[in-house]
């Protein structure tokens, strides 16, 4: 999900800029990782909340 929704589009957008550089294109990888960390933390918090308040 990270690769298709964040890394590839960001790398493409950075590559078509007028003064594109490998540094700008390379920022897609850490950005994708950061998005993945945020998604994992959100999912973890969701599961913790669900486990504390089970609906019977």
């Amino acid at each position: 999900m990270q690769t298709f929704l964040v890394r590839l589009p960001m790398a493409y957008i950075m590559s078509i800029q007028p003064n594109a550089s490998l540094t700008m294109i390379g920022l897609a990888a850490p950005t994708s990782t950061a998005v993945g960390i945020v998604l994992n933390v959100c999912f973890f918090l969701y599961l913790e909340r669900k486990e504390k308040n089970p609906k019977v």
Side-chain angles (χ1 to χ4, degrees):
M1 187 167 121
Q2 295 168 210
T3 300
F4 291 115
L5 296 179
V6 179
R7 185 180 293 186
L8 291 177
M10 187 172 173
Y12 175 72
I13 290 169
M14 293 297 185
S15 71
I16 61 174
Q17 298 300 316
N19 294 324
S21 68
L22 286 178
T23 302
M24 300 231 352
I25 297 169
L27 287 175
T31 303
S32 175
T33 301
V35 169
I37 291 170
V38 169
L39 288 174
N40 284 322
V41 168
C42 290
F43 186 67
F44 175 76
L45 293 174
Y46 168 76
L47 288 179
E48 286 292 314
R49 182 176 293 164
K50 187 176 178 182
E51 188 175 289
K52 287 182 182 178
N53 299 323
K55 296 193 178 185
V56 178

